[in-house]
Amino acid sequence: MVSRIIPVDAFDLVVFGGTGDLARRKILPALFRRYCAGQMPEGAQVIGAARSEMNDAEFRAFVTEAVEEFNGNFQYSDEDLQGFLSILFYVTLDALGDGGWSELATKMQADRVRVFYFSVGPSLFGPLAERLHTYGMADMNTRIVVEKPFGRDLETSKALNRSLADHFDEHQIYRIDHYLGKETVQNLMAIRFGNMLFEPLWNSQYVDHIQITVSETVGVQGRGDYYDRAGAMRDMVQNHLMQLLCLIAMEPPSRFEPDAVRDEKLKVIRALDPVDPDNIVRGQYSAEGDRAGYLADVGDPHSTTESFIALKLHLSNWRWAGTPFYLRTGKRMRARSSEIAVVFKETPHSIFDEEAGRHRNILTIRLQPNEGIDLDVTIKEPGPGGMRLVDVPLDMTFTEALGPEAEYVPDAYERLIMDVVRGNQTLFMRGDEVEAAWAWTDPIIAGWEERRDKPLPYDTGSSGPVDALALMHRDGRRWREVRS
Ligand code: BG6
């Protein structure tokens, strides 16, 4: 396999919140890896901007530590690192005042793409956008990148969209959902729309149900304040799982282009039925040995926020009427494993005797770890003794199928940031999509609040509360095992 680097013109990229956690863990290491891949053209500049007093040398030392700590097994030379550091600069900036803005403006080069990454809380989105205009840094080549949480309900997300729209056109606003940047998530589109094999079967006539699982082993990881106000519904379902659902359920877009794809995703969200409370299970992880439970992690013994959620959903449209979608996500579960499973129906009639059993095809898209795609097919068990059937996977583990070069899967942030530089919005959420997702989520959360719903405890290292298993059992189905 030959990896292709698509060249880009020189650009200026400013990271607001450049000394923050996301910048340190994700954004700056991702930019470094793109630098090593040869994708930073001559003259490109990366400028950190934040409240902390720092000079360029101190920022470079900060980035060096971030690169060393958050690059996993990625191999690089000292020359790579020194080269990257030489394109880094820093400006101390007051997001709500005037300090540092003129200095930042003087660092911008004329006539080139400018990316402003808002790696800050949403309350600063409006003030930053406004100052970019006041200080003459915004033109048609300017793009802004905003992170989740994009609001906490429909009303706040609308207000955020309005405040950005006051200063930038929609085609300049890149709302990141890093799940869309994951390699296998894009492969999902390649599988569906690049093959003749699957699309004719991709509907309720042939698909029994679809499961989406995003299971994590980590807890709230020092983000207790934020997480306890969000919970799994706002933190994961409204965005990441919703985006996966959209890609799996949408109609084929006419082209792989931003609005064509996003129009189809929006239709999926709008076709979602309201969810019956009986079809939702909420959970909260308990203490185990010397590992604190959720309540201690967030420092509130009375918190009723969920760290796990499982739901059964229906889409009211021709393609999916009658096919349920089961979604679940949780923290402190048995394994880190995210996958989508498309479970096909059994054959309408079996020509074999009972002993052969009934079987089904399952297409599994493994997002992480061990990215790949499996298709379970039914074959004859080898050997004499009659017709016994067995399911075997046609395994498309990318590293095995594509050779060692596929072992390096660029991180979602690497791909998404370079898409911003290239001006490609296909893998970013449009404002109306985000609002539609909140419009569906809000009544569910309001229902919990009205009923003073309490999440069920579950053991660390389990698959969530047993009621989540029952959610499927009562339909005669079962979750796939969570394994890494
Ligand atoms: C983030 C959530 O958006 O996604 C976190 O805020 C979660 O709570 C994370 O842990 C999961 O991302 P990934 O890429 O590790 O699956």
Side-chain angles (χ1 to χ4, degrees), residues 262-292:
R262 298 184 304 176
D263 286 347
E264 296 308 335
K265 288 199 293 164
L266 180 61
K267 287 184 207 160
V268 172
I269 305 174
R270 289 189 173 154
L272 274 171
D273 285 349
V275 191
D276 184 323
D278 287 346
N279 287 335
I280 306 181
V281 176
R282 298 168 76 220
Q284 200 180 65
Y285 61 82
S286 313
E288 190 219 48
D290 52 7
R291 293 183 84 187

PDB file of all heavy atoms in Angstrom, residues 262-292:
ATOM      1  N   ARG A 262     -24.017  15.739   4.510  1.00  0.00           N
ATOM      2  CA  ARG A 262     -24.647  16.266   5.717  1.00  0.00           C
ATOM      3  C   ARG A 262     -26.166  16.364   5.593  1.00  0.00           C
ATOM      4  O   ARG A 262     -26.889  16.188   6.564  1.00  0.00           O
ATOM      5  CB  ARG A 262     -23.989  17.586   6.102  1.00  0.00           C
ATOM      6  CG  ARG A 262     -22.503  17.300   6.415  1.00  0.00           C
ATOM      7  CD  ARG A 262     -21.710  18.446   6.902  1.00  0.00           C
ATOM      8  NE  ARG A 262     -21.689  19.614   6.062  1.00  0.00           N
ATOM      9  CZ  ARG A 262     -21.088  20.742   6.422  1.00  0.00           C
ATOM     10  NH1 ARG A 262     -20.476  20.819   7.584  1.00  0.00           N
ATOM     11  NH2 ARG A 262     -21.080  21.774   5.628  1.00  0.00           N
ATOM     12  N   ASP A 263     -26.654  16.599   4.357  1.00  0.00           N
ATOM     13  CA  ASP A 263     -28.114  16.589   4.163  1.00  0.00           C
ATOM     14  C   ASP A 263     -28.673  15.210   4.522  1.00  0.00           C
ATOM     15  O   ASP A 263     -29.715  15.097   5.166  1.00  0.00           O
ATOM     16  CB  ASP A 263     -28.464  16.864   2.688  1.00  0.00           C
ATOM     17  CG  ASP A 263     -28.263  18.332   2.323  1.00  0.00           C
ATOM     18  OD1 ASP A 263     -28.108  19.162   3.239  1.00  0.00           O
ATOM     19  OD2 ASP A 263     -28.250  18.635   1.101  1.00  0.00           O
ATOM     20  N   GLU A 264     -27.974  14.165   4.088  1.00  0.00           N
ATOM     21  CA  GLU A 264     -28.481  12.813   4.356  1.00  0.00           C
ATOM     22  C   GLU A 264     -28.407  12.479   5.843  1.00  0.00           C
ATOM     23  O   GLU A 264     -29.296  11.828   6.380  1.00  0.00           O
ATOM     24  CB  GLU A 264     -27.713  11.761   3.533  1.00  0.00           C
ATOM     25  CG  GLU A 264     -27.881  11.881   2.030  1.00  0.00           C
ATOM     26  CD  GLU A 264     -29.339  11.932   1.573  1.00  0.00           C
ATOM     27  OE1 GLU A 264     -30.222  11.413   2.292  1.00  0.00           O
ATOM     28  OE2 GLU A 264     -29.597  12.524   0.498  1.00  0.00           O
ATOM     29  N   LYS A 265     -27.348  12.930   6.503  1.00  0.00           N
ATOM     30  CA  LYS A 265     -27.242  12.653   7.938  1.00  0.00           C
ATOM     31  C   LYS A 265     -28.376  13.351   8.700  1.00  0.00           C
ATOM     32  O   LYS A 265     -28.978  12.785   9.602  1.00  0.00           O
ATOM     33  CB  LYS A 265     -25.880  13.130   8.474  1.00  0.00           C
ATOM     34  CG  LYS A 265     -24.725  12.242   8.014  1.00  0.00           C
ATOM     35  CD  LYS A 265     -23.504  12.432   8.894  1.00  0.00           C
ATOM     36  CE  LYS A 265     -22.904  13.794   8.743  1.00  0.00           C
ATOM     37  NZ  LYS A 265     -21.988  14.189   9.755  1.00  0.00           N
ATOM     38  N   LEU A 266     -28.645  14.583   8.284  1.00  0.00           N
ATOM     39  CA  LEU A 266     -29.698  15.354   8.949  1.00  0.00           C
ATOM     40  C   LEU A 266     -31.049  14.632   8.842  1.00  0.00           C
ATOM     41  O   LEU A 266     -31.826  14.573   9.794  1.00  0.00           O
ATOM     42  CB  LEU A 266     -29.769  16.747   8.316  1.00  0.00           C
ATOM     43  CG  LEU A 266     -30.818  17.688   8.880  1.00  0.00           C
ATOM     44  CD1 LEU A 266     -30.562  17.963  10.362  1.00  0.00           C
ATOM     45  CD2 LEU A 266     -30.817  19.013   8.108  1.00  0.00           C
ATOM     46  N   LYS A 267     -31.301  14.036   7.667  1.00  0.00           N
ATOM     47  CA  LYS A 267     -32.585  13.341   7.488  1.00  0.00           C
ATOM     48  C   LYS A 267     -32.704  12.172   8.469  1.00  0.00           C
ATOM     49  O   LYS A 267     -33.795  11.869   8.942  1.00  0.00           O
ATOM     50  CB  LYS A 267     -32.715  12.818   6.051  1.00  0.00           C
ATOM     51  CG  LYS A 267     -32.970  13.919   5.041  1.00  0.00           C
ATOM     52  CD  LYS A 267     -33.185  13.298   3.677  1.00  0.00           C
ATOM     53  CE  LYS A 267     -32.792  14.264   2.586  1.00  0.00           C
ATOM     54  NZ  LYS A 267     -32.523  13.606   1.308  1.00  0.00           N
ATOM     55  N   VAL A 268     -31.587  11.518   8.747  1.00  0.00           N
ATOM     56  CA  VAL A 268     -31.630  10.399   9.697  1.00  0.00           C
ATOM     57  C   VAL A 268     -32.036  10.913  11.078  1.00  0.00           C
ATOM     58  O   VAL A 268     -32.933  10.374  11.726  1.00  0.00           O
ATOM     59  CB  VAL A 268     -30.252   9.689   9.782  1.00  0.00           C
ATOM     60  CG1 VAL A 268     -30.244   8.657  10.901  1.00  0.00           C
ATOM     61  CG2 VAL A 268     -29.888   9.052   8.459  1.00  0.00           C
ATOM     62  N   ILE A 269     -31.396  11.988  11.503  1.00  0.00           N
ATOM     63  CA  ILE A 269     -31.692  12.492  12.861  1.00  0.00           C
ATOM     64  C   ILE A 269     -33.159  12.907  12.949  1.00  0.00           C
ATOM     65  O   ILE A 269     -33.852  12.619  13.925  1.00  0.00           O
ATOM     66  CB  ILE A 269     -30.774  13.683  13.226  1.00  0.00           C
ATOM     67  CG1 ILE A 269     -29.302  13.288  13.056  1.00  0.00           C
ATOM     68  CG2 ILE A 269     -31.027  14.146  14.651  1.00  0.00           C
ATOM     69  CD1 ILE A 269     -28.311  14.413  13.252  1.00  0.00           C
ATOM     70  N   ARG A 270     -33.627  13.514  11.868  1.00  0.00           N
ATOM     71  CA  ARG A 270     -35.022  13.975  11.894  1.00  0.00           C
ATOM     72  C   ARG A 270     -36.008  12.816  11.843  1.00  0.00           C
ATOM     73  O   ARG A 270     -37.168  12.975  12.219  1.00  0.00           O
ATOM     74  CB  ARG A 270     -35.273  14.932  10.737  1.00  0.00           C
ATOM     75  CG  ARG A 270     -34.567  16.257  10.984  1.00  0.00           C
ATOM     76  CD  ARG A 270     -34.959  17.288   9.976  1.00  0.00           C
ATOM     77  NE  ARG A 270     -34.406  18.588  10.333  1.00  0.00           N
ATOM     78  CZ  ARG A 270     -34.136  19.547   9.479  1.00  0.00           C
ATOM     79  NH1 ARG A 270     -34.383  19.360   8.177  1.00  0.00           N
ATOM     80  NH2 ARG A 270     -33.654  20.697   9.883  1.00  0.00           N
ATOM     81  N   ALA A 271     -35.555  11.658  11.370  1.00  0.00           N
ATOM     82  CA  ALA A 271     -36.460  10.505  11.287  1.00  0.00           C
ATOM     83  C   ALA A 271     -36.487   9.693  12.590  1.00  0.00           C
ATOM     84  O   ALA A 271     -37.223   8.718  12.699  1.00  0.00           O
ATOM     85  CB  ALA A 271     -36.046   9.607  10.120  1.00  0.00           C
ATOM     86  N   LEU A 272     -35.662  10.084  13.562  1.00  0.00           N
ATOM     87  CA  LEU A 272     -35.635   9.324  14.819  1.00  0.00           C
ATOM     88  C   LEU A 272     -36.935   9.506  15.595  1.00  0.00           C
ATOM     89  O   LEU A 272     -37.389  10.641  15.791  1.00  0.00           O
ATOM     90  CB  LEU A 272     -34.496   9.842  15.699  1.00  0.00           C
ATOM     91  CG  LEU A 272     -33.119   9.247  15.485  1.00  0.00           C
ATOM     92  CD1 LEU A 272     -32.093  10.041  16.282  1.00  0.00           C
ATOM     93  CD2 LEU A 272     -33.105   7.778  15.917  1.00  0.00           C
ATOM     94  N   ASP A 273     -37.493   8.401  16.052  1.00  0.00           N
ATOM     95  CA  ASP A 273     -38.691   8.492  16.897  1.00  0.00           C
ATOM     96  C   ASP A 273     -38.285   8.926  18.305  1.00  0.00           C
ATOM     97  O   ASP A 273     -37.172   8.625  18.738  1.00  0.00           O
ATOM     98  CB  ASP A 273     -39.334   7.104  17.026  1.00  0.00           C
ATOM     99  CG  ASP A 273     -40.067   6.711  15.760  1.00  0.00           C
ATOM    100  OD1 ASP A 273     -40.248   7.583  14.889  1.00  0.00           O
ATOM    101  OD2 ASP A 273     -40.444   5.526  15.652  1.00  0.00           O
ATOM    102  N   PRO A 274     -39.210   9.558  19.030  1.00  0.00           N
ATOM    103  CA  PRO A 274     -38.930   9.795  20.456  1.00  0.00           C
ATOM    104  C   PRO A 274     -38.730   8.438  21.131  1.00  0.00           C
ATOM    105  O   PRO A 274     -39.290   7.433  20.680  1.00  0.00           O
ATOM    106  CB  PRO A 274     -40.212  10.462  20.970  1.00  0.00           C
ATOM    107  CG  PRO A 274     -40.975  10.871  19.754  1.00  0.00           C
ATOM    108  CD  PRO A 274     -40.535  10.024  18.615  1.00  0.00           C
ATOM    109  N   VAL A 275     -37.927   8.400  22.192  1.00  0.00           N
ATOM    110  CA  VAL A 275     -37.638   7.096  22.805  1.00  0.00           C
ATOM    111  C   VAL A 275     -38.507   6.873  24.035  1.00  0.00           C
ATOM    112  O   VAL A 275     -38.584   7.729  24.924  1.00  0.00           O
ATOM    113  CB  VAL A 275     -36.157   6.994  23.225  1.00  0.00           C
ATOM    114  CG1 VAL A 275     -35.808   5.559  23.613  1.00  0.00           C
ATOM    115  CG2 VAL A 275     -35.257   7.448  22.104  1.00  0.00           C
ATOM    116  N   ASP A 276     -39.133   5.723  24.076  1.00  0.00           N
ATOM    117  CA  ASP A 276     -39.935   5.326  25.226  1.00  0.00           C
ATOM    118  C   ASP A 276     -38.991   5.101  26.417  1.00  0.00           C
ATOM    119  O   ASP A 276     -37.964   4.435  26.259  1.00  0.00           O
ATOM    120  CB  ASP A 276     -40.624   4.010  24.818  1.00  0.00           C
ATOM    121  CG  ASP A 276     -41.579   3.512  25.860  1.00  0.00           C
ATOM    122  OD1 ASP A 276     -41.285   3.664  27.048  1.00  0.00           O
ATOM    123  OD2 ASP A 276     -42.616   2.959  25.453  1.00  0.00           O
ATOM    124  N   PRO A 277     -39.317   5.624  27.612  1.00  0.00           N
ATOM    125  CA  PRO A 277     -38.413   5.438  28.762  1.00  0.00           C
ATOM    126  C   PRO A 277     -38.085   3.969  29.027  1.00  0.00           C
ATOM    127  O   PRO A 277     -37.017   3.650  29.532  1.00  0.00           O
ATOM    128  CB  PRO A 277     -39.185   6.041  29.930  1.00  0.00           C
ATOM    129  CG  PRO A 277     -40.172   6.970  29.325  1.00  0.00           C
ATOM    130  CD  PRO A 277     -40.470   6.485  27.938  1.00  0.00           C
ATOM    131  N   ASP A 278     -39.009   3.051  28.659  1.00  0.00           N
ATOM    132  CA  ASP A 278     -38.710   1.621  28.872  1.00  0.00           C
ATOM    133  C   ASP A 278     -37.580   1.137  27.981  1.00  0.00           C
ATOM    134  O   ASP A 278     -37.063   0.040  28.161  1.00  0.00           O
ATOM    135  CB  ASP A 278     -39.939   0.765  28.522  1.00  0.00           C
ATOM    136  CG  ASP A 278     -41.005   0.915  29.569  1.00  0.00           C
ATOM    137  OD1 ASP A 278     -40.683   1.452  30.648  1.00  0.00           O
ATOM    138  OD2 ASP A 278     -42.140   0.503  29.290  1.00  0.00           O
ATOM    139  N   ASN A 279     -37.241   1.924  26.977  1.00  0.00           N
ATOM    140  CA  ASN A 279     -36.188   1.503  26.052  1.00  0.00           C
ATOM    141  C   ASN A 279     -34.849   2.178  26.345  1.00  0.00           C
ATOM    142  O   ASN A 279     -33.989   2.273  25.469  1.00  0.00           O
ATOM    143  CB  ASN A 279     -36.606   1.797  24.609  1.00  0.00           C
ATOM    144  CG  ASN A 279     -37.679   0.838  24.146  1.00  0.00           C
ATOM    145  OD1 ASN A 279     -37.769  -0.271  24.671  1.00  0.00           O
ATOM    146  ND2 ASN A 279     -38.489   1.241  23.182  1.00  0.00           N
ATOM    147  N   ILE A 280     -34.729   2.679  27.574  1.00  0.00           N
ATOM    148  CA  ILE A 280     -33.463   3.320  27.967  1.00  0.00           C
ATOM    149  C   ILE A 280     -33.005   2.735  29.301  1.00  0.00           C
ATOM    150  O   ILE A 280     -33.809   2.595  30.225  1.00  0.00           O
ATOM    151  CB  ILE A 280     -33.628   4.844  28.178  1.00  0.00           C
ATOM    152  CG1 ILE A 280     -34.258   5.489  26.946  1.00  0.00           C
ATOM    153  CG2 ILE A 280     -32.298   5.493  28.507  1.00  0.00           C
ATOM    154  CD1 ILE A 280     -34.434   6.987  27.066  1.00  0.00           C
ATOM    155  N   VAL A 281     -31.720   2.425  29.377  1.00  0.00           N
ATOM    156  CA  VAL A 281     -31.152   1.989  30.657  1.00  0.00           C
ATOM    157  C   VAL A 281     -29.974   2.912  30.967  1.00  0.00           C
ATOM    158  O   VAL A 281     -29.087   3.085  30.132  1.00  0.00           O
ATOM    159  CB  VAL A 281     -30.642   0.531  30.583  1.00  0.00           C
ATOM    160  CG1 VAL A 281     -29.977   0.132  31.897  1.00  0.00           C
ATOM    161  CG2 VAL A 281     -31.788  -0.408  30.242  1.00  0.00           C
ATOM    162  N   ARG A 282     -30.021   3.495  32.160  1.00  0.00           N
ATOM    163  CA  ARG A 282     -28.901   4.357  32.577  1.00  0.00           C
ATOM    164  C   ARG A 282     -28.134   3.669  33.690  1.00  0.00           C
ATOM    165  O   ARG A 282     -28.734   3.011  34.539  1.00  0.00           O
ATOM    166  CB  ARG A 282     -29.418   5.699  33.103  1.00  0.00           C
ATOM    167  CG  ARG A 282     -30.167   6.514  32.090  1.00  0.00           C
ATOM    168  CD  ARG A 282     -30.863   7.660  32.795  1.00  0.00           C
ATOM    169  NE  ARG A 282     -29.942   8.714  33.162  1.00  0.00           N
ATOM    170  CZ  ARG A 282     -29.999   9.381  34.302  1.00  0.00           C
ATOM    171  NH1 ARG A 282     -30.877   9.085  35.227  1.00  0.00           N
ATOM    172  NH2 ARG A 282     -29.134  10.354  34.553  1.00  0.00           N
ATOM    173  N   GLY A 283     -26.830   3.852  33.716  1.00  0.00           N
ATOM    174  CA  GLY A 283     -26.028   3.218  34.760  1.00  0.00           C
ATOM    175  C   GLY A 283     -24.962   4.157  35.288  1.00  0.00           C
ATOM    176  O   GLY A 283     -24.633   5.183  34.673  1.00  0.00           O
ATOM    177  N   GLN A 284     -24.434   3.782  36.452  1.00  0.00           N
ATOM    178  CA  GLN A 284     -23.356   4.578  37.077  1.00  0.00           C
ATOM    179  C   GLN A 284     -22.371   3.580  37.689  1.00  0.00           C
ATOM    180  O   GLN A 284     -22.794   2.661  38.404  1.00  0.00           O
ATOM    181  CB  GLN A 284     -23.987   5.436  38.168  1.00  0.00           C
ATOM    182  CG  GLN A 284     -23.189   6.619  38.600  1.00  0.00           C
ATOM    183  CD  GLN A 284     -23.917   7.391  39.693  1.00  0.00           C
ATOM    184  OE1 GLN A 284     -24.121   6.874  40.785  1.00  0.00           O
ATOM    185  NE2 GLN A 284     -24.282   8.635  39.400  1.00  0.00           N
ATOM    186  N   TYR A 285     -21.080   3.730  37.409  1.00  0.00           N
ATOM    187  CA  TYR A 285     -20.140   2.707  37.879  1.00  0.00           C
ATOM    188  C   TYR A 285     -19.885   2.799  39.385  1.00  0.00           C
ATOM    189  O   TYR A 285     -19.844   3.877  39.955  1.00  0.00           O
ATOM    190  CB  TYR A 285     -18.829   2.701  37.075  1.00  0.00           C
ATOM    191  CG  TYR A 285     -17.983   3.952  37.093  1.00  0.00           C
ATOM    192  CD1 TYR A 285     -17.110   4.224  38.142  1.00  0.00           C
ATOM    193  CD2 TYR A 285     -18.031   4.850  36.021  1.00  0.00           C
ATOM    194  CE1 TYR A 285     -16.305   5.368  38.129  1.00  0.00           C
ATOM    195  CE2 TYR A 285     -17.242   5.990  36.007  1.00  0.00           C
ATOM    196  CZ  TYR A 285     -16.384   6.248  37.064  1.00  0.00           C
ATOM    197  OH  TYR A 285     -15.611   7.369  37.058  1.00  0.00           O
ATOM    198  N   SER A 286     -19.743   1.625  40.009  1.00  0.00           N
ATOM    199  CA  SER A 286     -19.551   1.551  41.457  1.00  0.00           C
ATOM    200  C   SER A 286     -18.068   1.488  41.782  1.00  0.00           C
ATOM    201  O   SER A 286     -17.247   1.192  40.907  1.00  0.00           O
ATOM    202  CB  SER A 286     -20.189   0.282  42.013  1.00  0.00           C
ATOM    203  OG  SER A 286     -21.474   0.128  41.510  1.00  0.00           O
ATOM    204  N   ALA A 287     -17.770   1.668  43.068  1.00  0.00           N
ATOM    205  CA  ALA A 287     -16.377   1.525  43.523  1.00  0.00           C
ATOM    206  C   ALA A 287     -15.981   0.067  43.424  1.00  0.00           C
ATOM    207  O   ALA A 287     -16.830  -0.823  43.493  1.00  0.00           O
ATOM    208  CB  ALA A 287     -16.275   1.994  44.966  1.00  0.00           C
ATOM    209  N   GLU A 288     -14.686  -0.179  43.231  1.00  0.00           N
ATOM    210  CA  GLU A 288     -14.239  -1.569  43.192  1.00  0.00           C
ATOM    211  C   GLU A 288     -12.847  -1.638  43.806  1.00  0.00           C
ATOM    212  O   GLU A 288     -11.934  -0.964  43.323  1.00  0.00           O
ATOM    213  CB  GLU A 288     -14.196  -2.047  41.746  1.00  0.00           C
ATOM    214  CG  GLU A 288     -13.974  -3.525  41.643  1.00  0.00           C
ATOM    215  CD  GLU A 288     -13.050  -3.851  40.487  1.00  0.00           C
ATOM    216  OE1 GLU A 288     -11.995  -3.206  40.357  1.00  0.00           O
ATOM    217  OE2 GLU A 288     -13.381  -4.751  39.745  1.00  0.00           O
ATOM    218  N   GLY A 289     -12.696  -2.407  44.854  1.00  0.00           N
ATOM    219  CA  GLY A 289     -11.411  -2.477  45.551  1.00  0.00           C
ATOM    220  C   GLY A 289     -10.976  -1.073  45.921  1.00  0.00           C
ATOM    221  O   GLY A 289     -11.741  -0.293  46.491  1.00  0.00           O
ATOM    222  N   ASP A 290      -9.747  -0.714  45.513  1.00  0.00           N
ATOM    223  CA  ASP A 290      -9.316   0.647  45.861  1.00  0.00           C
ATOM    224  C   ASP A 290      -9.602   1.643  44.736  1.00  0.00           C
ATOM    225  O   ASP A 290      -9.151   2.782  44.764  1.00  0.00           O
ATOM    226  CB  ASP A 290      -7.834   0.663  46.281  1.00  0.00           C
ATOM    227  CG  ASP A 290      -6.963  -0.006  45.244  1.00  0.00           C
ATOM    228  OD1 ASP A 290      -7.514  -0.343  44.156  1.00  0.00           O
ATOM    229  OD2 ASP A 290      -5.764  -0.190  45.497  1.00  0.00           O
ATOM    230  N   ARG A 291     -10.353   1.223  43.711  1.00  0.00           N
ATOM    231  CA  ARG A 291     -10.734   2.184  42.653  1.00  0.00           C
ATOM    232  C   ARG A 291     -12.041   2.862  43.043  1.00  0.00           C
ATOM    233  O   ARG A 291     -13.044   2.197  43.319  1.00  0.00           O
ATOM    234  CB  ARG A 291     -10.921   1.459  41.313  1.00  0.00           C
ATOM    235  CG  ARG A 291      -9.616   0.910  40.770  1.00  0.00           C
ATOM    236  CD  ARG A 291      -9.836   0.279  39.420  1.00  0.00           C
ATOM    237  NE  ARG A 291      -9.810   1.285  38.361  1.00  0.00           N
ATOM    238  CZ  ARG A 291     -10.107   0.998  37.099  1.00  0.00           C
ATOM    239  NH1 ARG A 291     -10.475  -0.213  36.755  1.00  0.00           N
ATOM    240  NH2 ARG A 291     -10.041   1.935  36.173  1.00  0.00           N
ATOM    241  N   ALA A 292     -11.985   4.178  43.041  1.00  0.00           N
ATOM    242  CA  ALA A 292     -13.171   4.938  43.453  1.00  0.00           C
ATOM    243  C   ALA A 292     -14.304   4.723  42.459  1.00  0.00           C
ATOM    244  O   ALA A 292     -14.085   4.454  41.281  1.00  0.00           O
ATOM    245  CB  ALA A 292     -12.813   6.414  43.514  1.00  0.00           C
TER     246      ALA A 292
END
